[in-house]
Coordinates of all heavy atoms in Angstrom, one line a residue:
M128 N 91.8 113.0 99.9 CA 92.6 111.8 99.6 C 92.1 110.7 100.6 O 92.1 111.0 101.8 CB 94.0 112.1 99.6 CG 94.9 110.8 99.4 SD 96.6 111.2 99.6 CE 97.3 109.9 98.8
D129 N 91.8 109.6 100.2 CA 91.5 108.4 101.1 C 92.8 108.2 102.0 O 93.8 108.0 101.3 CB 91.1 107.3 100.3 CG 90.7 106.0 101.2 OD1 90.4 106.3 102.3 OD2 90.8 105.0 100.6
L130 N 92.6 108.0 103.2 CA 93.7 107.8 104.1 C 94.4 106.5 103.7 O 95.7 106.5 103.8 CB 93.2 107.7 105.6 CG 92.9 109.0 106.2 CD1 92.3 108.7 107.6 CD2 94.2 109.9 106.3
L131 N 93.7 105.5 103.3 CA 94.4 104.2 103.0 C 95.3 104.3 101.8 O 96.2 103.5 101.6 CB 93.4 103.1 102.8 CG 92.6 102.8 104.1 CD1 91.5 101.7 103.9 CD2 93.5 102.4 105.3
Q132 N 95.1 105.3 100.9 CA 96.0 105.5 99.8 C 97.4 105.9 100.3 O 98.4 105.9 99.5 CB 95.5 106.5 98.8 CG 94.1 106.0 98.1 CD 93.6 107.0 97.2 OE1 94.2 108.1 97.1 NE2 92.6 106.6 96.6
R133 N 97.6 106.3 101.6 CA 98.9 106.7 102.1 C 99.6 105.5 102.5 O 100.9 105.6 102.9 CB 98.7 107.6 103.3 CG 98.1 108.9 102.9 CD 97.9 109.8 104.3 NE 97.5 111.2 104.0 CZ 98.4 112.1 103.7 NH1 99.7 111.9 103.8 NH2 98.0 113.3 103.4
I134 N 99.1 104.3 102.5 CA 99.8 103.1 102.8 C 100.1 102.3 101.5 O 99.2 102.1 100.7 CB 99.0 102.3 103.8 CG1 98.5 103.1 105.0 CG2 99.7 101.0 104.2 CD1 99.6 103.6 105.8
S135 N 101.3 101.9 101.4 CA 101.7 101.1 100.3 C 102.3 99.7 100.7 O 102.8 99.7 101.8 CB 102.7 101.8 99.4 OG 103.9 102.0 100.2
I136 N 102.1 98.7 99.9 CA 102.7 97.4 100.1 C 103.5 97.1 98.8 O 103.0 96.9 97.7 CB 101.6 96.4 100.3 CG1 100.8 96.8 101.6 CG2 102.2 95.0 100.5 CD1 99.6 95.8 101.9
D137 N 104.8 97.0 99.0 CA 105.7 96.7 97.9 C 106.6 95.6 98.4 O 107.3 95.8 99.4 CB 106.5 97.9 97.5 CG 107.5 97.8 96.5 OD1 107.8 96.6 96.1 OD2 108.0 98.7 95.9
P138 N 106.7 94.4 97.7 CA 107.5 93.4 98.1 C 109.0 93.6 98.2 O 109.7 93.1 98.9 CB 107.3 92.2 97.0 CG 106.0 92.6 96.4 CD 105.9 94.1 96.5
A139 N 109.3 94.7 97.5 CA 110.8 95.1 97.5 C 111.1 96.0 98.6 O 112.3 96.4 98.8 CB 111.1 95.8 96.2
V140 N 110.1 96.5 99.4 CA 110.3 97.4 100.5 C 109.9 96.7 101.8 O 108.8 96.3 102.0 CB 109.6 98.7 100.3 CG1 109.8 99.7 101.5 CG2 110.0 99.4 99.0
R141 N 110.8 96.6 102.8 CA 110.6 96.0 104.0 C 109.8 94.7 104.0 O 108.8 94.4 104.7 CB 109.8 97.0 105.0 CG 110.5 98.3 105.3 CD 111.7 98.2 106.1 NE 111.4 97.6 107.5 CZ 111.1 98.3 108.6 NH1 111.0 99.6 108.5 NH2 110.9 97.6 109.7
F142 N 110.2 93.9 103.0 CA 109.7 92.5 102.9 C 108.2 92.5 102.6 O 107.5 91.5 103.0 CB 110.0 91.6 104.1 CG 111.5 91.6 104.4 CD1 112.0 92.4 105.4 CD2 112.3 90.8 103.6 CE1 113.4 92.3 105.6 CE2 113.7 90.7 103.9 CZ 114.2 91.5 104.9
G143 N 107.7 93.6 102.0 CA 106.3 93.6 101.7 C 105.3 94.0 102.8 O 104.1 93.9 102.6
K144 N 105.9 94.5 103.9 CA 105.1 95.0 105.1 C 104.4 96.3 104.6 O 105.1 97.1 103.9 CB 105.9 95.1 106.3 CG 106.4 93.9 106.9 CD 107.2 94.1 108.2 CE 107.8 92.8 108.7 NZ 108.5 93.1 110.0
P145 N 103.2 96.6 105.1 CA 102.6 97.8 104.8 C 103.4 99.0 105.3 O 103.8 99.0 106.5 CB 101.2 97.7 105.4 CG 101.1 96.5 106.1 CD 102.4 95.7 105.9
C146 N 103.7 100.0 104.5 CA 104.5 101.2 104.9 C 103.8 102.4 104.5 O 102.9 102.5 103.6 CB 105.9 101.1 104.1 SG 107.0 99.8 104.5
V147 N 104.2 103.4 105.2 CA 103.7 104.8 104.9 C 104.3 105.1 103.5 O 105.5 105.0 103.3 CB 104.1 105.9 105.9 CG1 103.7 107.2 105.5 CG2 103.5 105.5 107.3
R148 N 103.4 105.4 102.6 CA 103.9 105.7 101.2 C 105.0 106.6 101.1 O 105.0 107.7 101.8 CB 102.6 106.2 100.3 CG 103.0 106.4 98.8 CD 101.8 106.7 98.0 NE 100.8 105.6 98.1 CZ 100.7 104.4 97.6 NH1 101.8 104.1 96.8 NH2 99.7 103.6 97.7
G149 N 106.0 106.2 100.3 CA 107.2 107.1 100.1 C 108.2 107.0 101.3 O 109.2 107.8 101.3
T150 N 108.0 106.1 102.3 CA 108.9 106.0 103.3 C 109.2 104.4 103.5 O 108.6 103.6 102.8 CB 108.5 106.5 104.7 OG1 107.5 105.6 105.2 CG2 107.8 107.9 104.5
R151 N 110.1 104.2 104.4 CA 110.3 102.7 104.8 C 109.8 102.4 106.2 O 110.1 101.4 106.7 CB 111.9 102.4 104.7 CG 112.4 102.5 103.3 CD 113.8 102.2 103.2 NE 114.2 100.9 103.6 CZ 114.0 99.8 103.0 NH1 113.5 99.8 101.8 NH2 114.4 98.6 103.6
L152 N 109.0 103.4 106.6 CA 108.4 103.2 108.0 C 107.1 102.3 107.8 O 106.2 102.6 107.1 CB 108.0 104.5 108.6 CG 109.2 105.4 109.0 CD1 108.7 106.9 109.3 CD2 109.9 104.8 110.2
T153 N 107.1 101.2 108.5 CA 106.0 100.3 108.4 C 104.8 100.9 109.3 O 105.0 101.5 110.3 CB 106.3 98.9 108.8 OG1 106.6 98.8 110.2 CG2 107.5 98.4 108.1
V154 N 103.6 100.4 109.0 CA 102.5 100.7 109.9 C 102.7 100.1 111.3 O 102.5 100.8 112.2 CB 101.2 100.0 109.3 CG1 100.1 100.0 110.2 CG2 100.8 100.7 107.9
G155 N 103.4 99.0 111.4 CA 103.7 98.4 112.6 C 104.7 99.2 113.4 O 104.6 99.3 114.7
D156 N 105.6 99.9 112.7 CA 106.6 100.8 113.4 C 105.9 101.9 114.0 O 106.1 102.2 115.2 CB 107.6 101.4 112.5 CG 108.6 100.3 111.8 OD1 108.8 99.3 112.5 OD2 109.1 100.6 110.8
V157 N 104.9 102.5 113.3 CA 104.2 103.7 113.7 C 103.3 103.3 114.9 O 103.3 103.9 116.0 CB 103.4 104.4 112.7 CG1 102.5 105.4 113.1 CG2 104.4 104.8 111.6
L158 N 102.6 102.2 114.8 CA 101.6 101.8 115.8 C 102.4 101.4 117.1 O 102.0 101.7 118.2 CB 100.8 100.7 115.4 CG 99.9 101.1 114.1 CD1 99.1 99.8 113.8 CD2 98.9 102.1 114.6
G159 N 103.6 100.7 116.8 CA 104.4 100.3 118.1 C 104.8 101.4 118.9 O 104.8 101.4 120.1
V160 N 105.3 102.5 118.2 CA 105.7 103.7 118.9 C 104.6 104.3 119.7 O 104.7 104.7 120.9 CB 106.3 104.8 117.9 CG1 106.5 106.1 118.6 CG2 107.6 104.2 117.4
L161 N 103.4 104.4 119.2 CA 102.2 105.0 119.8 C 101.8 104.0 120.9 O 101.4 104.6 122.0 CB 101.1 105.2 118.8 CG 101.3 106.2 117.7 CD1 100.2 106.2 116.7 CD2 101.5 107.6 118.3
A162 N 101.8 102.7 120.7 CA 101.4 101.8 121.7 C 102.4 101.8 122.9 O 102.0 101.5 124.0 CB 101.4 100.4 121.1
A163 N 103.6 102.1 122.7 CA 104.6 102.3 123.7 C 104.3 103.5 124.6 O 105.0 103.7 125.6 CB 106.0 102.3 123.2
G164 N 103.4 104.3 124.2 CA 103.0 105.5 125.0 C 103.6 106.8 124.6 O 103.4 107.8 125.2
R165 N 104.3 106.8 123.5 CA 104.9 108.1 123.1 C 103.8 108.8 122.3 O 102.9 108.3 121.7 CB 106.0 107.8 122.1 CG 107.1 107.0 122.8 CD 108.5 107.2 122.3 NE 108.9 108.5 121.9 CZ 109.7 108.6 120.8 NH1 110.0 107.6 120.1 NH2 110.0 109.9 120.4
A166 N 103.9 110.1 122.5 CA 102.9 111.0 121.9 C 103.1 111.2 120.4 O 104.2 111.0 119.9 CB 102.9 112.4 122.6
E167 N 102.0 111.4 119.7 CA 102.1 111.6 118.3 C 103.1 112.7 118.0 O 103.9 112.7 117.0 CB 100.7 111.9 117.7 CG 100.8 112.2 116.2 CD 99.5 112.5 115.5 OE1 98.5 112.4 116.2 OE2 99.6 113.1 114.4
A168 N 103.0 113.8 118.7 CA 104.0 115.0 118.5 C 105.4 114.5 118.5 O 106.3 115.0 117.8 CB 103.7 116.0 119.5
E169 N 105.7 113.6 119.6 CA 107.1 113.1 119.5 C 107.4 112.3 118.3 O 108.6 112.4 117.8 CB 107.3 112.2 120.8 CG 107.2 112.9 122.1 CD 107.4 111.9 123.2 OE1 108.5 111.6 123.6 OE2 106.4 111.4 123.6
L170 N 106.5 111.4 117.9 CA 106.7 110.6 116.7 C 107.1 111.5 115.5 O 107.9 111.3 114.6 CB 105.5 109.8 116.4 CG 105.5 109.0 115.2 CD1 106.6 107.8 115.3 CD2 104.1 108.3 115.0
L171 N 106.3 112.6 115.3 CA 106.4 113.5 114.2 C 107.7 114.3 114.3 O 108.3 114.6 113.3 CB 105.2 114.4 114.1 CG 103.8 113.8 113.8 CD1 102.7 114.8 113.8 CD2 103.9 113.0 112.5
L172 N 108.2 114.5 115.5 CA 109.5 115.3 115.6 C 110.6 114.2 115.2 O 111.6 114.6 114.6 CB 109.7 115.7 117.1 CG 109.0 117.0 117.4 CD1 109.1 117.3 118.9 CD2 109.4 118.2 116.7
D173 N 110.5 112.9 115.7 CA 111.5 112.0 115.4 C 111.5 111.6 113.9 O 112.6 111.2 113.4 CB 111.3 110.7 116.2 CG 111.7 111.0 117.6 OD1 112.3 111.9 118.1 OD2 111.3 110.1 118.5
F174 N 110.4 111.7 113.3 CA 110.3 111.2 111.8 C 109.6 112.4 111.1 O 108.4 112.3 110.8 CB 109.5 109.9 111.7 CG 110.1 108.9 112.4 CD1 109.7 108.4 113.6 CD2 111.1 108.1 111.8 CE1 110.3 107.4 114.3 CE2 111.8 107.1 112.5 CZ 111.3 106.7 113.7
P175 N 110.4 113.4 110.7 CA 109.8 114.6 110.1 C 109.1 114.4 108.7 O 108.4 115.2 108.3 CB 111.0 115.6 109.9 CG 112.3 114.8 110.2 CD 111.8 113.6 110.9
Q176 N 109.4 113.2 108.1 CA 108.8 112.9 106.9 C 107.3 112.5 107.0 O 106.6 112.4 106.1 CB 109.6 111.8 106.1 CG 109.6 110.4 106.8 CD 110.7 110.2 107.8 OE1 111.1 111.1 108.5 NE2 111.2 108.9 107.8
L177 N 106.9 112.1 108.3 CA 105.5 111.7 108.6 C 104.7 113.0 108.8 O 105.2 114.0 109.3 CB 105.5 110.9 109.8 CG 106.0 109.5 109.7 CD1 105.9 108.8 111.1 CD2 105.3 108.7 108.7
T178 N 103.4 112.8 108.6 CA 102.4 113.9 108.8 C 101.4 113.3 109.8 O 101.3 112.1 109.9 CB 101.8 114.3 107.5 OG1 101.0 113.3 107.0 CG2 102.8 114.9 106.5
H179 N 100.6 114.1 110.3 CA 99.4 113.7 111.1 C 98.5 112.8 110.2 O 98.1 111.7 110.8 CB 98.6 115.0 111.6 CG 97.3 114.6 112.3 ND1 97.3 114.0 113.5 CD2 96.1 114.9 111.8 CE1 96.0 113.8 113.8 NE2 95.3 114.3 112.8
E180 N 98.3 113.1 109.1 CA 97.5 112.3 108.2 C 98.1 110.9 108.0 O 97.4 109.9 107.9 CB 97.3 112.9 106.8 CG 96.4 114.2 106.9 CD 97.0 115.4 107.5 OE1 98.2 115.5 107.5 OE2 96.2 116.3 107.9
D181 N 99.5 110.8 107.9 CA 100.1 109.5 107.8 C 99.8 108.6 109.1 O 99.6 107.4 109.0 CB 101.6 109.7 107.7 CG 102.0 110.3 106.3 OD1 101.3 110.1 105.3 OD2 103.1 110.9 106.3
V182 N 99.8 109.3 110.3 CA 99.5 108.5 111.5 C 98.1 108.1 111.5 O 97.8 106.9 111.8 CB 99.8 109.4 112.7 CG1 99.4 108.7 114.0 CG2 101.3 109.8 112.7
L183 N 97.2 108.9 111.0 CA 95.8 108.5 110.9 C 95.7 107.4 109.9 O 94.8 106.5 110.2 CB 94.9 109.8 110.4 CG 94.8 110.8 111.5 CD1 93.9 112.0 110.8 CD2 94.2 110.4 112.8
A184 N 96.4 107.4 108.8 CA 96.3 106.3 107.9 C 96.8 105.0 108.4 O 96.2 103.9 108.2 CB 97.2 106.7 106.6
C185 N 97.8 105.0 109.3 CA 98.2 103.8 109.9 C 97.1 103.3 110.9 O 96.9 102.0 110.9 CB 99.5 104.1 110.7 SG 100.9 104.3 109.8
L186 N 96.5 104.2 111.6 CA 95.4 103.7 112.5 C 94.2 103.2 111.7 O 93.7 102.2 112.0 CB 94.9 104.9 113.3 CG 96.0 105.4 114.4 CD1 95.4 106.7 115.0 CD2 96.1 104.3 115.5
A187 N 93.9 103.9 110.5 CA 92.8 103.4 109.7 C 93.2 102.0 109.0 O 92.3 101.2 108.9 CB 92.5 104.4 108.6
F188 N 94.4 101.8 108.6 CA 94.9 100.5 108.0 C 94.7 99.4 109.1 O 94.1 98.4 108.8 CB 96.3 100.7 107.6 CG 96.8 99.4 106.9 CD1 96.6 99.3 105.6 CD2 97.4 98.4 107.6 CE1 97.0 98.1 104.9 CE2 97.8 97.3 107.0 CZ 97.5 97.1 105.6
A189 N 95.1 99.6 110.3 CA 94.9 98.7 111.4 C 93.5 98.4 111.7 O 93.1 97.2 111.9 CB 95.7 99.2 112.6
A190 N 92.6 99.4 111.7 CA 91.2 99.3 111.9 C 90.6 98.4 110.8 O 89.8 97.5 111.1 CB 90.5 100.6 112.0
E191 N 90.9 98.7 109.6 CA 90.4 97.9 108.5 C 90.8 96.5 108.5 O 90.0 95.5 108.3 CB 90.8 98.4 107.1 CG 90.0 99.8 106.8 CD 88.5 99.5 106.7 OE1 88.2 98.5 106.0 OE2 87.8 100.3 107.1
R192 N 92.1 96.2 108.9 CA 92.6 94.8 109.0 C 91.9 94.1 110.1 O 91.5 93.0 110.0 CB 94.1 95.0 109.2 CG 94.7 93.5 109.2 CD 96.2 93.6 109.2 NE 96.6 93.6 107.8 CZ 97.9 93.5 107.4 NH1 98.9 93.4 108.2 NH2 98.2 93.5 106.1
E193 N 91.7 94.8 111.2 CA 91.0 94.2 112.4 C 89.6 93.7 111.9 O 89.1 92.7 112.4 CB 91.0 95.1 113.6 CG 90.6 94.5 114.9 CD 89.1 94.4 115.0 OE1 88.4 95.2 114.4 OE2 88.6 93.5 115.8
K194 N 88.9 94.6 111.2 CA 87.5 94.2 110.8 C 87.6 93.0 110.0 O 86.5 92.2 110.0 CB 87.0 95.3 109.8 CG 86.6 96.6 110.7 CD 86.1 97.6 109.6 CE 85.9 98.9 110.2 NZ 85.4 99.9 109.3
R195 N 88.6 92.6 109.4 CA 88.7 91.4 108.5 C 89.1 90.2 109.2 O 89.1 89.1 108.6 CB 89.6 91.7 107.3 CG 89.0 92.7 106.3 CD 89.9 92.8 105.1 NE 89.3 93.8 104.2 CZ 89.7 95.1 104.1 NH1 90.8 95.5 104.7 NH2 89.1 95.9 103.2
L196 N 89.5 90.3 110.4 CA 89.9 89.1 111.2 C 88.8 88.2 111.3 O 87.7 88.5 111.7 CB 90.5 89.5 112.5 CG 91.9 90.1 112.6 CD1 92.2 90.5 114.0 CD2 92.9 89.2 112.0
I197 N 89.1 86.9 111.2 CA 88.1 85.9 111.5 C 88.3 85.3 112.8 O 89.4 84.8 113.1 CB 88.1 84.8 110.4 CG1 87.8 85.4 109.0 CG2 87.1 83.6 110.8 CD1 88.0 84.4 107.9
T198 N 87.4 85.3 113.7 CA 87.5 84.7 115.0 C 86.8 83.4 115.1 O 85.8 83.2 114.6 CB 87.0 85.7 116.1 OG1 85.6 86.0 115.8 CG2 87.8 87.0 116.1
S199 N 87.4 82.6 115.9 CA 86.8 81.3 116.0 C 86.1 81.3 117.4 O 86.6 81.8 118.5 CB 88.0 80.2 116.1 OG 87.5 79.0 116.6
A200 N 85.0 80.6 117.4 CA 84.2 80.5 118.7 C 85.1 79.7 119.8 O 85.0 80.0 121.0 CB 82.9 79.7 118.5
A201 N 85.9 78.8 119.3 CA 86.8 78.1 120.3 C 87.8 79.0 120.9 O 88.3 78.7 121.9 CB 87.4 76.9 119.5
A202 N 88.2 80.0 120.1 CA 89.2 80.9 120.6 C 88.8 81.9 121.7 O 89.6 82.5 122.3 CB 89.9 81.7 119.4
V203 N 87.5 82.0 121.8 CA 86.9 83.0 122.7 C 86.8 82.4 124.1 O 86.7 81.5 124.5 CB 85.5 83.5 122.2 CG1 84.9 84.4 123.1 CG2 85.7 84.1 120.8

């Protein structure tokens, strides 16, 4: 299964923010917890509905979104 298929965007769920499919946890929620320095194992204990593959899907989604960013020469 393609990791990105684990992420859904539904305007009726969390205002259309990308979420882990079948949950109300946003990609931003997952990445924020990891960025705060918490280990993936802790995240998975706190949210038993998540899997390792879901965490990888959040990272893959963020990586794909970053590739699409347009940067301005003036911003650099």
Side-chain angles (χ1 to χ4, degrees):
M128 175 182 202
D129 180 24
L130 285 175
L131 295 179
Q132 291 179 0
R133 293 176 170 272
I134 306 299
S135 64
I136 299 174
D137 181 345
V140 178
R141 299 290 303 266
F142 305 102
K144 292 181 180 180
C146 292
V147 176
R148 187 169 301 283
T150 75
R151 295 181 57 80
L152 291 167
T153 68
V154 169
D156 293 335
V157 173
L158 297 178
V160 168
L161 296 173
R165 300 212 31 228
E167 180 184 344
E169 291 179 87
L170 176 67
L171 296 177
L172 284 174
D173 289 344
F174 300 98
Q176 68 271 37
L177 288 180
T178 66
H179 171 69
E180 288 76 17
D181 293 331
V182 175
L183 292 178
C185 290
L186 293 169
F188 184 87
E191 284 298 316
R192 184 169 272 187
E193 191 277 334
K194 286 180 189 176
R195 292 188 177 103
L196 287 177
I197 298 173
T198 57
S199 165
V203 177

